[in-house]
Amino acid sequence: MQRVLGVLILLGGLAGCDAAPTDTSPAASPTPGSAPALRAAAAHPPLHEVFLNDPSLALGDIDCGTFTIHETSFSDRVDVITYFNDAGDPVRARLHVEFQGVLTNLSTGKTLRDHAAFSDAFDFIDGTLTETGVAFHYKIPHQGLVADNGRIIFGPNNEVLFAAGSHDVVEQGFTAICPLLT
């Protein structure tokens, strides 16, 4: 969830986009290839942005009681496409995140690979966020697995509207990672 919040910061507060423009007026939907159609399509083209190595995507410190987990290194790439209605207002944003990092127990130095590859769709009209892919995946052989993967839809108040897959961090919080780094 913190990565999603970091992505919202990248979007500059445009959180909540996923509805395509629905203007079907004659000016906006003439014969494809005609001059009015080309002008309407070019009036508010989607905005494509790429963000690299933004520190807002790194996890904040996680208090595990007797020790603290800290994201000690990371790299990321976030591709964002924002779509606009005829008035130029953002109506949806789609993004893809690829993240690599290292979580470290600051008391013992024990580390855990942190990686993610997921896509988000923000619907600015109805205020939903749909996340698909692997947002969190931590595994230590013979010790445990903590994962957030699959598909999950959050409502305007961050409530879970639909979930398929494993969502340990959403359900338990980031302290679910603590047993993996004891």
Side-chain angles (χ1 to χ4, degrees):
M1 182 57 81
Q2 183 163 346
R3 288 208 183 104
V4 171
L5 295 176
V7 169
L8 294 178
I9 291 167
L10 290 174
L11 289 173
L14 297 179
C17 284
D18 198 81
T22 57
D23 187 352
T24 58
S25 66
S29 56
T31 307
S34 69
L38 296 176
R39 279 195 306 275
H44 300 288
L47 174 63
H48 184 226
E49 301 170 281
V50 176
F51 301 93
L52 300 173
N53 301 323
D54 188 295
S56 67
L57 292 183
L59 294 179
D61 287 352
I62 301 168
D63 181 0
C64 294
T66 58
F67 64 94
T68 300
I69 296 173
H70 181 75
E71 188 102 54
T72 54
S73 66
F74 66 91
S75 67
D76 62 68
R77 177 185 171 106
V78 181
D79 290 276
V80 181
I81 301 174
T82 305
Y83 299 89
F84 303 90
N85 63 14
D86 289 340
D89 301 318
V91 293
R92 69 178 170 155
R94 293 194 180 276
L95 60 99
H96 181 74
V97 176
E98 293 189 28
F99 183 91
Q100 298 287 328
V102 176
L103 297 177
T104 302
N105 176 328
L106 295 179
S107 298
T108 66
K110 186 174 181 181
T111 61
L112 183 61
R113 181 174 157 240
D114 181 9
H115 71 282
F118 62 92
S119 296
D120 283 348
F122 297 93
D123 185 326
F124 296 151
I125 304 303
D126 67 15
T128 60
L129 160 67
T130 301
E131 186 166 272
T132 306
V134 179
F136 300 99
H137 187 265
Y138 309 104
K139 181 179 180 180
I140 295 182
H142 311 292
Q143 187 173 336
L145 169 69
V146 174
D148 263 36
N149 55 39
R151 178 181 169 101
I152 190 164
I153 301 173
F154 296 96
N157 298 311
N158 208 31
E159 72 277 18
V160 175
L161 301 177
F162 173 83
S166 175
H167 299 285
D168 298 328
V169 174
V170 170
E171 294 169 2
Q172 302 170 40
F174 288 106
T175 56
I177 302 167
C178 296
L180 299 178
L181 285 172
T182 55

